[in-house]
Amino acid sequence: MSKPSVLVVEDEPLIADDIAGILEKNGYTVVDIVDEAPDALASIDKHNPDIALLDVNIEGDADGIDLAGKLNIPFVFLTSYYDQQTLDRAKKTNPSGYIVKPFNESDLIANVEIALSRVQKTTKEARTPEKLFLRNGQEIVSVMSSDIVYVEAFDNYANVYTEKDKFIISHTLKSVEEKLLPFGFMRIHRSYLINFDHIDSISEGYVFLRGHKVLLGKSYRKEFLKMLSML
């Protein structure tokens, strides 16, 4: 079985080639090498890699940490920056790893392997449902994680849907995802997080869950289909 695919985001050509060479030597497929955020996002939409390696100091207005906040795939920082301010910014994006240059082959491959194994473990081994509390106006309401059907991004807020109710909470979808991922939830679109157990059917680019219809994003389709046990 072939190794997962990797996107390399690095603005120094020699280093980028070195990274790609190490990855390919170890059986990985390097789908693309880019040096700025817009190209990285376009490449993800086109190639749907399994993981990205991000330099912090890249070309363009957005650096690697800014880019990380927009990604829907696991990512590892690989950079010469390790000052406290940079580390504090990086930690907020919840990276799967942080490698300081200069690096060696074993460090690079070990971090990629660990990052991918964490994602697989998190998505496949959901925790027992727990009672969560949502603020609904002046009231705080309890909802079991298993009763949540899906969550929708709404600017800097999120809409939480159960079969019968809808709650608007003051959290971004990314922060909600971090809390719900251990309970069997997964992102299937830039704006949607779904409860895998509530899937009824999939058709024409949509996922149907308990009477709700949610769009399946192209860049999420490959990872989503991997989770399905097909007969």
Side-chain angles (χ1 to χ4, degrees), residues 6-25 29-36 53-55 57-59 78-79 101 103 108:
V6 186
L7 169 67
V8 177
V9 184
E10 169 64 62
D11 67 342
E12 297 186 36
L14 292 177
I15 295 178
D17 289 343
D18 189 24
I19 294 169
I22 291 173
L23 291 169
E24 290 170 351
K25 174 185 173 183
T29 299
V30 177
V31 296
D32 205 355
I33 298 175
V34 298
D35 62 2
E36 59 180 352
L53 294 180
L54 309 179
D55 186 13
N57 185 28
I58 57 177
E59 296 292 328
L78 202 162
T79 178
K101 298 176 183 176
F103 60 90
L108 177 61

Side-chain angles (χ1 to χ4, degrees), residues 65-125:
I65 299 175
D66 295 326
L67 169 61
K70 301 177 182 179
L71 298 189
N72 60 296
I73 60 174
F75 56 89
V76 172
F77 288 117
L78 202 162
T79 178
S80 56
Y81 289 82
Y82 54 92
D83 59 278
Q84 194 60 52
Q85 183 178 0
T86 300
L87 289 172
D88 289 342
R89 286 184 61 216
K91 285 189 291 185
K92 292 179 181 179
T93 65
N94 195 29
S96 299
Y98 197 100
I99 307 173
V100 178
K101 298 176 183 176
F103 60 90
N104 58 44
E105 180 175 331
S106 59
D107 286 343
L108 177 61
I109 298 304
N111 272 270
V112 172
E113 294 282 0
I114 291 170
L116 290 168
S117 68
R118 284 175 178 169
V119 173
Q120 292 168 357
K121 182 177 180 180
T122 302
T123 53
K124 291 182 180 179
E125 298 181 6

Side-chain angles (χ1 to χ4, degrees), residues 116-176:
L116 290 168
S117 68
R118 284 175 178 169
V119 173
Q120 292 168 357
K121 182 177 180 180
T122 302
T123 53
K124 291 182 180 179
E125 298 181 6
R127 280 172 21 196
T128 302
E130 290 184 6
K131 181 177 288 189
L132 305 174
F133 292 89
L134 309 177
R135 185 175 295 278
N136 185 28
Q138 299 301 314
E139 184 181 14
I140 296 177
V141 181
S142 67
V143 176
M144 291 298 295
S145 59
S146 56
D147 290 334
I148 298 174
V149 178
Y150 75 100
V151 185
E152 175 188 32
F154 180 67
D155 197 15
N156 288 322
Y157 294 82
N159 295 322
V160 178
Y161 292 86
T162 63
E163 285 194 60
K164 298 180 180 180
D165 298 309
K166 170 185 172 183
F167 303 95
I168 301 176
I169 59 175
S170 57
H171 294 283
T172 64
L173 187 61
K174 187 173 181 64
S175 66
V176 175

Side-chain angles (χ1 to χ4, degrees), residues 157-211:
Y157 294 82
N159 295 322
V160 178
Y161 292 86
T162 63
E163 285 194 60
K164 298 180 180 180
D165 298 309
K166 170 185 172 183
F167 303 95
I168 301 176
I169 59 175
S170 57
H171 294 283
T172 64
L173 187 61
K174 187 173 181 64
S175 66
V176 175
E177 180 180 15
E178 291 172 358
K179 292 180 181 294
L180 293 183
L181 201 63
F183 300 104
F185 285 73
M186 68 181 304
R187 185 86 75 95
I188 65 165
H189 186 277
R190 190 171 296 179
S191 299
Y192 296 108
L193 177 72
I194 68 167
N195 187 333
F196 196 84
D197 287 341
H198 285 315
I199 297 174
D200 293 322
S201 62
I202 304 155
S203 178
E204 298 180 348
Y206 289 92
V207 179
F208 295 85
L209 313 100
R210 299 294 188 266

